[in-house]
């Protein structure tokens, strides 16, 4: 697509965290990156990879938007730490956290950027409300030609065979924040390793600290991967700090929440 026909993202920083778990997740990542490069212009993408050895092949896409940053790490996937590291590298007033398997409606993504840069009503925005998982031939078609038009034809009220509602509502996947507000509340809690609970913990902490966090009433699309391991993972973290952290925020006094934010925000200084 010619640059003139792409949607400008107004020079924002997009942050993607990644660890290559299997071929399916790897191909999801390259599809998402190809979709972003095909659809948008005027952005920088920080791909933060944490693993024992790097796996991302920048030459496969040869996309000048992408900055690959490798963090040697052989413990549980440090998603929160990677996102926070990306924010330290970023310089735009609005930052976008973007999962390696998620696709937003382009008009909604741009509308969120405009609202955060120019509006007075929100400090954080999700460019979606529900999450629709796409698999099978529908997913393969998008991977072969990652144009949003393939997904735009999906009717959320009458989903095709290869699509299901993964979450009726959610607050992770793709989130845009005013950078100053993200830093003020401490960012993602890097004590929580892996995935699960970190999005809810940030939402509850940020809300307690006055962040106005809203969502757009449109779906986001999720590229299917290893659903069996997803269920196993949710069960595995059921009694961990990740699972308890969101509820812990609700039980804290306001002074304790403010002290936690100060402690976490020290990472950005």
């Amino acid at each position: 697509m010619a640059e003139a026909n792409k949607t400008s993202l107004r020079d924002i920083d997009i942050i993607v965290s990644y660890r290559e778990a299997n071929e399916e997740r790897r191909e999801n990542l390259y599809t998402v990156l190809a979709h972003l490069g095909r659809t948008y212009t005027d952005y920088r993408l920080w791909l933060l990879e944490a693993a024992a050895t790097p796996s991302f092949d920048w030459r496969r896409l040869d996309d000048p938007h992408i900055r690959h940053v490798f963090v040697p790490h052989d413990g549980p996937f440090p998603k929160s730490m990677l996102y926070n590291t990306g924010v330290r590298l970023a310089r735009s007033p609005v930052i976008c956290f973007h999962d390696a398997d998620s696709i937003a409606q382009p008009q909604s993504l741009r509308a969120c950027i405009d609202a955060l840069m120019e509006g007075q009503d929100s400090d954080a925005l999700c460019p979606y409300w529900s999450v629709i998982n796409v698999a099978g031939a529908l997913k393969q078609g998008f991977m072969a030609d990652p144009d949003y038009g393939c997904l735009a034809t999906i009717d959320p009220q009458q989903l095709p065979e290869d699509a299901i509602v993964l979450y009726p509502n959610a607050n992770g996947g793709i989130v845009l924040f005013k950078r100053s507000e993200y830093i003020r509340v401490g960012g993602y809690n890097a004590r929580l390793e892996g995935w699960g609970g970190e999005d809810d913990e940030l939402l509850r902490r940020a809300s307690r600290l006055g962040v106005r966090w809203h969502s757009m009433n449109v779906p986001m699309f999720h590229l299917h991967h290893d659903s069996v391991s997803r269920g196993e993972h949710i069960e595995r973290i059921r009694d961990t700090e990740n699972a308890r952290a969101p509820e812990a925020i609700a039980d804290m006094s306001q002074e304790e929440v403010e002290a936690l934010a100060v402690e976490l925000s020290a990472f950005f200084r």
Side-chain angles (χ1 to χ4, degrees):
M1 182 183 295
E3 290 293 308
N5 296 323
K6 296 180 181 180
T7 299
S8 172
L9 296 185
R10 301 185 62 174
D11 203 35
I12 70 163
D13 290 286
I14 299 174
I15 303 169
V16 178
S17 64
Y18 179 67
R19 171 176 286 175
E20 186 170 303
N22 54 43
E23 180 181 0
E24 189 173 32
R25 287 176 181 254
R26 179 180 70 238
E27 295 310 305
N28 283 353
L29 169 71
Y30 285 108
T31 298
V32 168
L33 296 179
H35 163 75
L36 293 173
R38 177 192 182 109
T39 309
Y40 303 107
T41 187
D42 304 322
Y43 69 93
R44 288 170 302 281
L45 189 143
W46 300 93
L47 178 64
L48 278 292
E49 180 184 11
T53 58
S55 62
F56 178 70
D57 183 4
W58 188 88
R59 295 168 298 180
R60 177 170 167 178
L61 295 173
D62 193 24
D63 185 345
H65 295 106
I66 300 171
R67 284 100 167 120
H68 177 222
V69 179
F70 176 70
V71 179
H73 191 281
D74 56 6
F77 182 57
K79 174 183 171 182
S80 296
M81 180 272 285
L82 293 178
Y83 273 166
N84 291 342
T85 300
V87 172
R88 289 184 63 171
L89 295 169
R91 288 295 177 266
S92 59
V94 171
I95 49 177
C96 175
F97 301 104
H98 200 300
D99 278 3
D101 52 20
S102 299
I103 304 293
Q105 183 186 89
Q107 298 95 321
S108 296
L109 187 61
R110 171 57 193 259
C112 287
I113 295 170
D114 291 343
L116 292 173
M117 285 189 173
E118 300 169 6
Q120 304 298 319
D121 298 326
S122 300
D123 303 305
L125 282 165
C126 293
Y128 71 97
W129 183 255
S130 61
V131 180
I132 295 174
N133 188 71
V134 295
L138 182 58
K139 175 187 172 183
Q140 292 305 315
F142 180 75
M143 295 180 77
D145 182 13
D147 188 312
Y148 186 80
C150 174
L151 304 176
T153 60
I154 296 175
D155 182 352
Q157 304 304 317
Q158 295 182 331
L159 293 175
E161 180 180 357
D162 291 328
I164 62 169
V165 175
L166 187 62
Y167 303 113
N169 58 76
N171 58 281
I174 301 176
V175 184
L176 296 99
F177 245 98
K178 290 181 179 177
R179 184 173 182 270
S180 59
E181 285 294 282
Y182 181 83
I183 292 173
R184 179 180 70 83
V185 302
Y188 277 97
N189 190 337
R191 297 174 184 173
L192 307 179
E193 292 198 310
W195 62 269
E198 75 286 344
D199 294 315
D200 290 335
E201 193 273 350
L202 175 58
L203 172 61
R204 295 192 181 192
R205 174 163 36 92
S207 298
R208 288 281 304 270
L209 294 169
V211 169
R212 298 162 299 172
W213 190 322
H214 304 121
S215 298
M216 308 284 279
N217 190 25
V218 295
M220 178 178 77
F221 295 96
H222 174 267
L223 302 180
H224 179 78
H225 58 79
D226 48 20
S227 55
V228 174
S229 66
R230 172 183 294 273
E232 290 175 348
H233 177 76
I234 291 172
E235 190 63 31
R236 188 163 56 246
I237 70 167
R238 186 176 300 280
D239 296 318
T240 66
E241 184 179 359
N242 282 51
R244 293 189 294 267
E247 294 299 329
I249 294 295
D251 294 334
M252 289 181 182
S253 68
Q254 189 64 24
E255 290 75 16
E256 288 173 321
V257 176
E258 292 172 357
L260 176 59
V262 170
E263 177 187 338
L264 294 175
S265 63
F267 177 83
F268 303 101
R269 293 197 291 271

